[in-house]
Amino acid sequence: MAVEGPVVRWVADHRKHHRFSDAEGDPHSPWRFGETLPALLRGMWWAHIGWMFNEEQTPQQKYAPDLVKDPVIRGISRHFVSFTLLSLAIPPLVGGVVTMSWWGAFTAFFWGSLVRVALLHHVTWSINSICHAVGKRPFKSRDRSGNVWWLAVLSCGESWHNLHHADPTCARHGVLRGQIDSSARLIRWFEQLGWARDVRWPDASRIASRRKPVTADPA
C-alpha cells in the first residue's frame, strides 16, 4: 500500500544494502562515486532515487530465499500492481462519497494519493541519501549511517539510522533519551495483539555494548 515495490524485492535490496553498507556492492550508497563534494552530491542523488533506474537487480533467491518460499508473502509481492491501484483508489473513493462530488474525489486523489505517496517516497529515500551522508554516530557501525533528528517524526523513527546499522535486528531505532520512534510503538502494539512475534527489543547491556567509547577532552 506504500507503493514502494514488491515486498520480496524490497527485502532483498535492503538485506544486500546491510551486507555491503557504504561499500562496493551496496545498491544505494551516497559514497558510490567518491568522497569529494561533487562526488558526494552525485552519490546522494544516486542513493535518493537514481539507483532504482539501474538495470541490475538484487537476486531474490540469494537475499530473500525465506520470503520466496513463503506462499503468502510471495502472493502479496506478486500482486504489487493490484495493491498500488487499491492504495491510489481509496482516497478518491472516500473523498467522493463524503462530499458527493467529483471535485471532492479529485482533491482527495491529489492529496491522499499523489501527494501522500510522493512525500512517503522522498522521506524513505532520504534515509538512503541523507542518513548515510550526515548525522551523529553514537554507535559503532562499519558504515557511515547517522542520526538525523529532524527526519525522525516524518520517518516514524527510521532516521535514528545509526543504531539500525549498529544493531540491525533491533526493533527500536530511537533508543536514547528524547528519540521519537513511532514505528517501534506500532510494532509493540502488534506484538501485544499477537500479530508480531519473536521481536528483539533493546536492553541496557545491548545498547551499552554498541556505544562508542567516550573520549576524554585533552588536558
Side-chain angles (χ1 to χ4, degrees):
M1 298 293 280
V3 196
E4 293 197 351
V7 63
V8 177
R9 180 187 301 175
W10 195 100
V11 171
D13 285 336
H14 193 67
R15 288 177 176 175
K16 186 178 182 182
H17 164 62
H18 273 271
R19 180 176 180 181
F20 300 102
S21 187
D22 290 329
E24 186 176 355
D26 186 341
H28 45 67
S29 174
W31 303 97
R32 178 185 181 94
F33 303 108
E35 300 191 9
T36 64
L37 181 58
L40 179 57
L41 292 176
R42 182 186 176 195
M44 288 184 70
W45 168 255
W46 170 267
H48 194 78
I49 191 173
W51 71 280
M52 291 186 295
F53 298 98
N54 188 17
E55 293 183 358
E56 180 183 352
Q57 293 190 3
T58 302
Q60 297 176 15
Q61 285 285 357
K62 179 177 180 179
Y63 287 95
D66 51 334
L67 300 190
V68 171
K69 294 177 182 177
D70 188 312
V72 175
I73 297 297
R74 193 171 64 247
I76 293 172
S77 191
R78 187 170 59 250
H79 289 95
F80 167 69
V81 174
S82 299
F83 282 112
T84 296
L85 295 175
L86 181 63
S87 180
L88 298 177
I90 289 175
L93 178 62
V94 173
V97 170
V98 170
T99 64
M100 295 301 294
S101 69
W102 288 107
W103 180 249
F106 172 76
T107 55
F109 175 70
F110 179 78
W111 293 105
S113 298
L114 302 183
V115 173
R116 169 183 60 88
V117 170
L119 177 62
L120 173 64
H121 283 187
H122 280 289
V123 170
T124 301
W125 298 337
S126 293
I127 305 301
N128 295 340
S129 56
I130 297 174
C131 292
H132 274 269
V134 299
K136 294 185 177 180
R137 302 180 176 97
F139 297 98
K140 295 177 288 186
S141 66
R142 56 183 178 81
D143 53 30
R144 304 194 189 200
S145 55
N147 293 336
V148 180
W149 65 269
W150 51 268
L151 267 174
V153 174
L154 286 176
S155 67
C156 300
E158 181 71 17
S159 67
W160 307 118
H161 206 53
N162 182 228
L163 181 70
H164 178 55
H165 278 268
D167 190 4
T169 62
C170 184
R172 180 180 291 117
H173 299 166
V175 297
L176 302 181
R177 184 183 298 275
Q179 293 184 342
I180 299 172
D181 191 341
S182 54
S183 290
R185 176 56 55 192
L186 190 64
I187 294 171
R188 176 72 78 181
W189 288 341
F190 282 7
E191 185 181 43
Q192 292 170 345
L193 289 169
W195 298 347
R197 61 184 184 273
D198 301 328
V199 182
R200 292 192 178 185
W201 295 106
D203 55 42
S205 61
R206 185 171 172 175
I207 295 171
S209 68
R210 287 160 174 79
R211 287 295 296 266
K212 288 181 179 178
V214 178
T215 57
D217 293 332

